[in-house]
Structure formats: C-alpha cells, structure tokens
Amino acid sequence: MRRGMGPWAGAAGVAVLVLACFGGVLAGGEQFAFRDAGHFYGPLERRVQMEWRAGRWPLWEPEENGGMPLLGNPTAAVLYPGKLLFAVLPFDWAMRAYLIGHVLLAVAAMRALLRSFGVGGAGSMIGGIAYGFGGPVLFQYGNSVFLVGAAWMPLAFRAADRWIRQGRRFGIVELTGVLTMQVLGGDPQAAYLSALCAAGYAWFAARSGPVPEAGADRPRGGRLALLRTPALVLWALLAWTAATVAVAATWPEVRRMLGAAKGPAPIPLPLGPILWGAWGLVGLFVLDRWRRGKWRSPRARGLVGLAEACALAGGLAAVQLLPSAEFTSRSARAADVGPHDIYPFSLEPYRVVELAWPGFFGENLRANRYWLDRLPPAGAHKMWVPSLYLGGLTLVLAPGAFGVRGTADRRPRRWLAWVAVLGLWASCGEYGGPLWWLREVPVAARLVGPHDQPDAPTVRADGRPRDGDGSLYWLLATALPVFGSFRYPSKLLTLAALGLAGLAGLGWDDAASGRSRRARRIALAAASAGAAGLVISVLLATSLLRFFQSGPAVPHLFGPLDTAGALADLRRALLHGMIAAVAAWVVLRRGSRWPGGVAVLVLAVDLACANARDVITVPQSLLDARPKLLDIIEADARRHPRPGPYRVHRMTPWHPLGWIDRGAPSYRDVVAWEHDTLMPKYGVPYGLEYTFSEGTAELYDYQWFVNPFELPKSVARALSLPTSRPIVYYPRNGFDAWGTRYFVLPAVAANDVSRATQWFRGRADVVAKSEEGDWLVVRNRDAFPRAWAVHAVRLWPPIRGMSREERQAMMRAMLFPDDPGQVPDLRAVAWAETDEPAPLVPLVPGSPPDPADSVTIARYEPTRVEIRADLKRPGLVLLADVFYPGWTLTVDGRPAPILRANRAMRGALVDAGVHTLIYRYQPVSVTLGLWLTAAALVVLAGLLAWASRGVSSSSPG
C-alpha cells in the first residue's frame, strides 16, 4: 500500500466538505443559526464591532442586565486576533469567514500535529478532516468560543510534544502562543485542558524509559508494567465503585451523628479539608524534590517548561483575562449556593454508537424523530452536539492503532489513546460514575438513595452524594483548581475527537506499512454489525414502533415523536455505517493499487453525507431585518413619552404552544419568530436594553431582582392563591425598580418559569397581542425612571462574600417580605451599604420624596453617564445601573464616592441645589492587564531569543 498522496487529494477532500457543509452560506446568502450562533454570538459580535467603529474600546455593554462588562465578558473575546476579520469585512461575511476559518484551522492544526509525529501525508490528512469535520468539532459553529478552543488544541499538543519528546525549545514558545489564543478566543477551559494533557504527557513520557530503535519492541518490564495490566485497571475501578457506594450508603447516618447538635440542616462531605491537605502534601513533595536537586531530571525540565508557557500565556492574555476574572468572580458561578451546574449536557454512554452509525437516535434539529428520550433518564436528555460521527474510516483505523508494535516511539500514540479514552469517559459527566446507574436499579436505590431531584442543590436534603459524585468528571471538578467553575462535561468530547482522529492517522500508516491488519478485521466487524442491525430492524419493526410509542410525551419544538420517521432514521444510520465500513475495508484491502488520496476522498464523502445535513442556516436577510416587536415598542414609546432610557423584559425563552402540539413549520420559522419577538440578544444591536438576558454568566447580586422562585405558602395564602402546589413567583417590584417599561410575554399563561405572566400583567396596559404567534406586549405603569432621588436611607453593613445567607435578609426586606403589604417603595427609601455611615445619618430615617426634586439623564453612553439633579434638600441620587468596579463619579467636577445602593445599584450623596453627576467607566483591571501584557511581551522576546539557540542538549522527555 502506498502512503503517498498527491497534493490534489487533500484539497479535493476539504473542498468536498466545505461545499457540502457550507455551500449555502458561501453562495446562497445563508447565515449560521444553530443554537447560539444566531441569537447569542451574532448580536454580541455586532455590538463589539459597533464600539470599535464608534472609536471606543469595547469596555461596557449597557444593553443587558443593568449593564455588564464587554471586554470582561469571556464569550465576547474582544481582543482575540481573529476578530480582525470583523474590521476588514462586512459583518455577514466576517461571521462566515470566522466560523468556517476555524473549522479549516482545526483541520490544518490536526494535520500539523500528525506530521510532527511522523505520519505521512495521507494519514495526517485523514486525521485532519476527521477532527475538523467530525461531529464534536464541526457542530461547535453554534458556540464559536468552543470552536476556537478546539481549532487551536492540536497545535497545543504539537507544541507540547516538540518540547517534551523532541526537546525543541521553540515548543515552549509555540505552546505559549497557542494557550494565549485559546484564552483570548474565549475558551480558557480549552487552554486548561491542553496544559493538563501536556503535563500528563511530560510526567509519564519520562517514565517510559529510552526511546527504542525503529523496528524494536518495547520490553514489557518496568515500573509501569502493572499500570498496563487490564486486571489492575479493573480492580481499581471495582475498588472505586465500592468506596463510592459505601459513602453513599453510610454518609446520611454519619451526617446525622455529626449534625445532631446543629439541627436537621444537611452537612456536605468534608471535601475542602481533604483537598487542601492533599495539595499541601503535593507542595511539600515539590519542595523536597527541589531541595534534593531532583528537578534537574528530564521530567522536571519538561514540567517546568510547561509551567513557564502557562504563566507567560496568562500574562499575554492578562488584558482580557483580568477583567474576565473580575466579572466571573461576581457572577452566580462564584456563588456557593444554588443548583449544581457541573453536570448539564452529560453525554449518555450509549450515544457512543454514533461513532459507528451517524444519526442512530434520529433527527432532532429539523424534526422530532429523536427516540433517545425513550431511554433513561426519560425526558432529561440535553444534546451538546447532534452527532459524534468521525467517519467510518476513522472508526476502523483508530482502534487498529492501539498496541501496534515495531514503531520507533510509541509515546505519541499512547498519549492520544489516553486522551481519547479519558476524554470520552469524562464527557459522560454524571453517567461516568457508579451512582447514577445503581440508582436505576430499585434494589440498589434503597441502599444508595434515589436519583437527584430536578435542580438539586449542591448538598442534597437527604445528605447523600449526587448522581454524578464519584465520576471522573466529579473528580476533575473537585480536585483541580478552578475546574469546577467550568460547565458542561460534553465539552471534553473535543479531547476524545482529537485522540481518535490522531490514532486514525497513525493507524493509516500502520496499515500502509503492513504493521497491522487489525483495521481490516474491524471494518468487517463493523459492516457485519450494521447488516445485522438492518435485518433486526426489519424483523422487529413492529416491536420497535411499539417501543417508540410507549414512552412519555416529551415536549419538543417540532411536535410529538414521529415514530415511523425514527425507525427510518435508525435504518438509514445502520445502512450508512455499513456502507462506510465496507468502503473502508475495500480501501484497506486494495490499498496496494490505490494511493492514499483515495482514502482521503472516501472519508470526505462519508463525513459530508453524514454531518452536512445538520449544519443549520437561515437567510441573512432574516437576521438583518428589524424585529417586529421592536417597531411596536418604539412606536408606543413615542406615543407615550417618558423621560430617560428604559428597559424591556422578554420572558425566559418560550415557543408557541401550537408548535409543541403540532410541530414548528421549519427551523427558519423558529428563528424568524424568535427574532421578531426579541429573544435575547436580537435587540442588542438596535440599542434595546434588556432587563434580564441569560447568558454564560450574570452578576449574582443582580439576579436576585429578576430570578423566579417558589412563593412561600404564607404569602400565597395572603394573596388568596392556592397552596396545594408550588407557585412560580417573579419579584415584580424588582423589575419595576430597574426601569422595565415593557414586558414581552407569552399570550397563554401557565404556572411555569416561562409562562407565569400574572406577575407582569397587573398595573400594565396591553400594547399588542397575537394569539397565533403566542406573544403579548404590555406597558408597565409602575416602571421607575432610570435615575431618581430619595431622602430616606436604611443603613446596612457591607456584604463581603458570595453566600446566599449574607444577602437573604436584605433582599427579602426589599423585594418579597412575608407580608405582601409591606413591600417597601424603593422610590422613597434606599438600602445603603457603607463602612462610613456618618454622611448618611441625616437621611436615617429620613423623609418622603420631594415632588419638586428633578433628576434627569442628560447623556447616556456605554462608558459615560451624565445626570442633572435639582434637589430641594440633601438626598441620595440613585442610578438603576449595576454597581461594579471601575466606575468613577464626579459631582460638579469633583471626585465623589459611589455608594452601593439597593445591593446592586449606584448611589451618590448630594447636597441641596443643582448638580451635575458624571459616571465614567475606567476599569483598573484593564489598566493592570495592559501592564502585565506589556511585561509578558518583553519576557516573550527573551524566550524567543533563548529558543532561537536551537534544540536543548537533552530531551525533557
């Protein structure tokens, strides 16, 4: 079999895939719209572009959540060099080039990694297109920051290998640059995972002993021989399972004993002290090794070089990283309460069949033929990517690369194998441990407890571990610093895809050189399994249809489950997998006559047929049109003018009930409806300010004003509401205080978070309504102005931490006391937190508002707000924008302190008379980040000079 590949084959394969996946985008006037590509990243990128074109740094965005940082928003990726496309291209073409360009970068980066491993042209191209156009990476076009992280990741592996195994100093420089790109691109988790994998490679590569000569077998002895024994791995898993079960079964009793004197409150497992102790022992070990001079070893040199790259990358990205850290440290992610959020989008283990049969569980994006909901957990499936398929050739080549002998250096393939296995295992999240599966068995559930309830808190009320505790992802999130703040286990599918694609490239060279015939046997087995599955699906068609019909009805955007379509999709998946496996067998069998380029084209056609159908686009003209409800709101605002800017609250995403019952007409209609009804963030480029827009992170203090909760029964009785079932309650006065002049609501009300409209319809006038479109616009008569003055203040000691308990008393007093009749009027009184209460003493208890006072917004810009205040007596001028570090205040040109008012608003104490208040956003975090980035550039120059001296004297690995 010839390993060669003509230059045409790789280009032709990529061209086939680009045309199949992106033809409508490139030639048909379409734009990406899957998941967040349409309503989230598109408007956000427009907003950043608008700030640059206005001649301002994109520092602050007033359109969402009472204002929030823009440069400090990790998903905005403001300073990522790839965003230069938005400066030189029209916006629609910049979006296309940005997403397609990073898919192609993923292909090129994976090819470069395999070439660095010594893989031939055909094998490296197979790995490249399997990675870039495989399901886990391709479908990140809907989450562009994760696509950026995935595109750069193979180059991080390449740089780590060049430093650790090849001993090239320039590898540290390359790794520094790649990690910087991942952080600036908005995916610090990808940088974290890249560094973590590199550290594991550095640690274990050094223990593998000297590199054997080409053609020689590695001896089986050595200190790691036992770790390669399947029996030992099995015993370790059994021991871990037994320990997890023991803790789950006994901890409630231990908790009761420990908390006997503290009441019934649940006590969490003491993981904090255990982890601090473990990391303390690691620190002592490092110091001891340093003292004994052991850090001159190859392993130590490798780890120190990686640490230098990580530190320098952090310095280079500091100008964006520090503002992002400042923001996320104040978000709900940093709060130590609320539902645990480390397990959503866990990959169900049985979805691995999609590696062989694309679309095995049916269509989910344009129709409801998705029968995965018939498998446990019923109705709780969250799809991260619609397909895991990497191609039939990838499937047969990757396993064939395991354990192949006769290679000069087996460390890269072992590294990729571990990355693939652990990445896939960790992506299973809560399903990757024993507890979830044991709780599916009634007998075992009596021992270890039932499944978590929906929105289960971090510490369950019964004191037992959560479903995912004891899984690999739990271990990572618990033991590794910062890792727990990342979400969505399925993001680790990128690692699995990288490992499998890399092994496929190595496997092609193995087959080409005659070192392995395993791939042919795997291809025959896969083809036979597909054929058997087709026969079974025909013989048991009635039983399968009955099974599809037996499950509970799960609400879906495209209506009830199409059982006949689900069966057809299942058969199509089996047929596709069988044909792909047969094609792979033919290519491998007749490879002595065919060049490697044929294999590349076969894989390209395979991936195009399997994955291109799930690239969702809509006409660009649809996204460019003004939203229908925006015109309605602005017209009403002109008819009923009120001073100052205002906000609009669009309720948590809902869809017309008719779609749930009968199915949406098409995905294009879905996007058009969401766009017209101002689903966040579609209104942001038009200057519409949303009271609440849910994204990746929101300020924790602000969420108290807008988040729904269960109404206490005492309040429900006082309001003459039924107490037989939980009632979803929205703190209406919280929305009033933030100047919400319009509510966009579902036309049909219900008692759930997306349709509990009764709290917004009172004291409001209907502006427009559509029964068919299931939307309603009302004007809020009680909306506060953006700025106002009070002469009564309630002093409160400053709240320092992020716990719920520290906030609960103040927020309940302001927003939802037990007696609804005691809700205070925030236009007359304000809560102020200060360490220096003396200037505010005259306002305690204070007096009612003075009708003669006048407070107006004279100028309102993203980073500058000017207020004119005419007060008849001293008072506190409130601005309903969020209190946030970096804002400064001058009163009549003199610096003045900004008081934290009403927990999340800005307050200014002024005397009687006419005053001009000017708020400016000048964040110290950005200034400090600029200095750190400048210093890191100087260090980088020195590192480049050191690296240019050539290869180090000895390989770190």
Side-chain angles (χ1 to χ4, degrees):
M1 182 180 293
R2 283 182 286 169
R3 297 175 59 186
M5 181 188 70
W8 58 270
V14 172
V16 167
L17 285 162
V18 168
L19 291 175
C21 296
F22 309 128
V25 171
L26 294 173
E30 299 282 303
Q31 188 58 271
F32 297 103
F34 174 59
R35 194 169 284 164
D36 294 339
H39 72 86
F40 187 91
Y41 288 104
L44 184 61
E45 298 295 356
R46 283 186 185 271
R47 187 67 187 83
V48 173
Q49 187 184 53
M50 290 166 60
E51 285 297 283
W52 284 122
R53 291 185 175 178
R56 296 187 295 258
W57 273 62
L59 297 177
W60 190 260
E61 180 194 6
E63 288 85 6
E64 298 182 83
N65 304 321
M68 58 189 295
L70 191 52
L71 179 59
N73 183 352
T75 55
V78 170
L79 299 180
Y80 176 57
K83 295 295 180 69
L84 290 173
L85 287 170
F86 292 90
V88 299
L89 294 175
F91 178 80
D92 54 343
W93 279 105
M95 280 294 295
R96 297 175 180 123
Y98 188 75
L99 295 175
I100 297 174
H102 279 95
V103 172
L104 297 179
L105 174 60
V107 175
M110 191 68 211
R111 185 176 186 276
L113 171 63
L114 291 174
R115 294 294 285 174
S116 180
F117 287 164
V119 177
S124 61
M125 202 65 211
I126 287 171
I129 64 176
Y131 179 71
F133 286 92
V137 173
L138 174 64
F139 295 116
Q140 295 308 328
Y141 73 84
N143 290 285
S144 60
V145 294
F146 304 135
L147 176 60
V148 171
W152 286 99
M153 189 172 285
L155 293 180
F157 276 57
R158 178 177 181 267
D161 179 69
R162 284 163 68 86
W163 164 244
I164 294 166
R165 183 173 64 93
Q166 301 177 27
R168 297 181 179 274
R169 293 175 174 177
F170 208 80
I172 299 179
V173 179
E174 293 176 2
L175 183 60
T176 298
V178 173
L179 297 180
T180 302
M181 292 298 102
Q182 289 177 313
V183 173
L184 291 178
D187 193 6
Q189 184 179 12
Y192 194 115
L193 292 172
S194 299
L196 190 65
C197 292
Y201 187 40
W203 182 267
F204 289 105
R207 302 187 66 175
S208 300
V211 177
E213 295 181 0
D217 290 341
R218 272 288 305 271
R220 292 180 174 271
R223 291 187 292 174
L224 287 186
L226 289 178
L227 294 182
R228 294 193 299 268
T229 304
L232 182 62
V233 175
L234 178 61
W235 280 111
L237 292 176
L238 290 175
W240 181 263
T241 300
T244 304
V245 171
V247 171
T250 61
W251 182 250
E253 186 62 32
V254 175
R255 177 183 64 85
R256 283 191 289 270
M257 290 188 296
L258 293 176
K262 300 180 181 180
I267 300 175
L269 289 169
L271 294 175
I274 295 174
L275 291 174
W276 278 110
W279 283 110
L281 291 176
V282 171
L284 292 175
F285 172 77
V286 171
L287 290 175
D288 178 68
R289 299 281 289 186
W290 189 278
R291 181 182 60 84
R292 295 163 55 187
K294 298 293 185 180
W295 286 96
R296 299 190 183 95
S297 66
R299 179 190 301 132
R301 286 169 52 82
L303 291 173
V304 169
L306 296 177
E308 292 172 352
C310 293
L312 188 53
L316 291 171
V319 64
Q320 183 172 292
L321 189 60
L322 288 187
S324 298
E326 181 180 63
F327 174 50
T328 55
S329 68
R330 290 165 172 79
S331 70
R333 290 194 183 193
D336 56 359
V337 295
H340 64 83
D341 61 352
I342 66 171
Y343 296 130
F345 292 100
S346 294
L347 177 74
E348 300 86 349
Y350 30 78
R351 280 196 65 190
V352 297
V353 299
E354 295 174 13
L355 292 171
W357 301 309
F360 183 83
F361 294 103
E363 170 68 51
N364 190 39
L365 301 184
R366 293 185 176 91
N368 184 15
R369 300 194 294 268
Y370 198 59
W371 60 272
L372 185 69
D373 287 322
R374 297 299 181 258
L375 301 175
H381 300 280
K382 291 185 177 182
M383 180 186 66
W384 180 250
V385 291
S387 174
L388 307 184
Y389 194 62
L390 300 173
L393 195 60
T394 306
L395 175 69
V396 302
L397 289 174
F402 282 93
V404 173
R405 300 185 181 280
T407 56
D409 192 347
R410 294 164 61 191
R411 286 177 293 180
R413 71 177 63 222
R414 286 177 176 169
W415 187 26
L416 293 175
W418 277 110
V419 166
V421 171
L422 295 181
L424 189 60
W425 182 12
S427 68
C428 293
E430 63 180 330
Y431 310 120
L435 282 183
W436 190 92
W437 299 97
L438 289 172
R439 286 169 174 167
E440 282 291 301
V441 182
V443 175
R446 288 197 290 269
L447 176 66
V448 298
H451 278 298
D452 293 346
Q453 294 297 316
D455 297 327
T458 304
V459 181
R460 285 177 36 153
D462 61 3
R464 295 184 187 272
R466 296 165 292 167
D467 284 349
D469 291 353
S471 65
L472 176 59
Y473 192 83
W474 169 85
L475 183 63
L476 295 173
T478 303
L480 297 178
V482 185
F483 198 95
S485 63
F486 300 126
R487 300 185 295 176
Y488 310 149
S490 284
K491 286 195 289 185
L492 274 75
L493 282 171
T494 300
L495 290 177
L498 189 153
L500 290 173
L503 288 171
L506 290 163
W508 175 263
D509 273 14
D510 293 336
S513 61
R515 288 193 298 266
S516 174
R517 297 182 179 180
R518 189 181 304 170
R520 295 186 201 174
R521 295 193 292 269
I522 295 173
L524 284 176
S528 301
L534 278 172
V535 173
I536 292 173
S537 70
V538 173
L539 296 177
L540 300 181
T542 303
S543 298
L544 287 172
L545 288 173
R546 190 180 301 116
F547 170 69
F548 294 159
Q549 296 166 353
S550 64
V554 178
H556 194 280
L557 187 59
F558 292 98
L561 177 66
D562 177 5
T563 55
L567 181 58
D569 281 357
L570 172 62
R571 291 172 175 170
R572 182 164 50 248
L574 293 169
L575 179 62
H576 183 113
M578 183 185 71
I579 294 174
V582 170
W585 180 83
V586 171
V587 169
L588 293 167
R589 180 72 177 84
R590 299 182 62 83
S592 59
R593 303 178 184 177
W594 292 349
V598 174
V600 172
L601 290 175
V602 167
L603 180 59
V605 172
D606 178 14
L607 288 172
C609 294
N611 291 343
R613 63 174 180 262
D614 288 333
V615 177
I616 306 296
T617 61
V618 299
Q620 179 67 49
S621 58
L622 186 156
L623 300 175
D624 289 338
R626 281 178 60 85
K628 177 180 179 180
L629 267 60
L630 177 65
D631 288 337
I632 292 174
I633 290 172
E634 291 184 347
D636 185 79
R638 289 191 295 268
R639 289 193 300 268
H640 301 85
R642 294 176 61 181
Y646 60 87
R647 294 190 171 99
V648 174
H649 178 59
R650 203 270 196 190
M651 283 196 72
T652 300
W654 81 93
H655 291 97
L657 289 176
W659 290 359
I660 304 299
D661 298 333
R662 301 182 301 273
S666 67
Y667 199 90
R668 174 180 175 176
D669 292 288
V670 172
V671 175
W673 181 87
E674 293 175 345
H675 181 265
D676 277 340
T677 59
L678 294 173
M679 179 176 173
K681 313 175 185 251
Y682 280 125
V684 166
Y686 300 97
L688 182 72
E689 297 186 30
Y690 289 94
T691 304
F692 182 58
S693 171
E694 187 173 10
T696 57
E698 298 80 36
L699 292 176
Y700 182 49
D701 290 313
Y702 185 81
Q703 286 185 311
W704 283 80
F705 290 88
V706 295
N707 271 355
F709 64 95
E710 182 181 332
L711 193 69
K713 291 185 177 181
S714 59
V715 180
R717 283 191 293 268
L719 295 174
S720 301
L721 296 174
T723 58
S724 57
R725 56 188 174 87
I727 296 176
V728 176
Y729 173 73
Y730 282 90
R732 168 63 181 275
N733 51 331
F735 291 88
D736 296 342
W738 288 93
T740 309
R741 195 178 301 178
Y742 293 93
F743 295 114
V744 178
L745 312 170
V748 180
N751 185 38
D752 60 58
V753 294
S754 62
R755 292 184 176 270
T757 62
Q758 65 270 28
W759 308 108
F760 303 110
R761 293 193 183 193
R763 306 185 306 279
D765 302 314
V766 175
V767 175
K769 182 177 181 179
S770 171
E771 294 287 352
E772 181 182 1
D774 192 15
W775 55 261
L776 170 69
V777 179
V778 299
R779 185 190 330 107
N780 180 17
R781 295 195 298 266
D782 290 346
F784 285 27
R786 182 59 55 89
W788 70 97
V790 299
H791 301 279
V793 171
R794 297 184 185 180
L795 297 179
W796 203 272
I799 297 174
R800 307 293 185 187
M802 291 294 292
S803 71
R804 181 182 183 87
E805 290 75 15
E806 293 176 314
R807 290 160 171 74
Q808 189 159 1
M810 176 193 288
M811 302 308 296
R812 285 188 64 86
M814 281 196 297
L815 299 176
F816 32 82
D818 291 333
D819 184 352
Q822 295 180 353
V823 177
D825 184 1
L826 296 181
R827 283 171 289 197
V829 62
W831 274 253
E833 301 173 47
T834 178
D835 289 319
E836 300 178 0
L840 292 168
V841 169
L843 301 180
V844 181
S847 57
D850 192 329
D853 288 343
S854 172
V855 179
T856 59
I857 302 290
R859 185 177 177 183
Y860 197 86
E861 297 176 352
T863 58
R864 189 180 189 275
V865 179
E866 183 175 334
I867 302 174
R868 301 288 171 81
D870 184 359
L871 274 59
K872 304 309 175 184
R873 60 183 185 274
L876 188 67
V877 175
L878 298 174
L879 175 64
D881 283 356
V882 294
F883 181 92
Y884 193 81
W887 282 96
T888 62
L889 170 66
T890 60
V891 178
D892 299 329
R894 293 185 296 274
I898 301 176
L899 296 175
R900 182 188 281 272
N902 297 337
R903 187 53 206 160
M905 297 180 181
R906 302 176 210 162
L909 184 63
V910 298
D911 296 327
V914 179
H915 303 280
T916 299
L917 290 71
I918 298 179
Y919 287 94
R920 292 183 177 89
Y921 186 54
Q922 300 169 327
V924 175
S925 58
V926 175
T927 303
L928 179 59
L930 281 170
W931 281 105
L932 288 176
T933 298
L937 287 172
V938 174
V939 176
L940 179 62
L943 183 62
L944 283 169
W946 172 76
S948 64
R949 294 164 55 189
V951 181
S952 59
S953 57
S954 61
S955 170

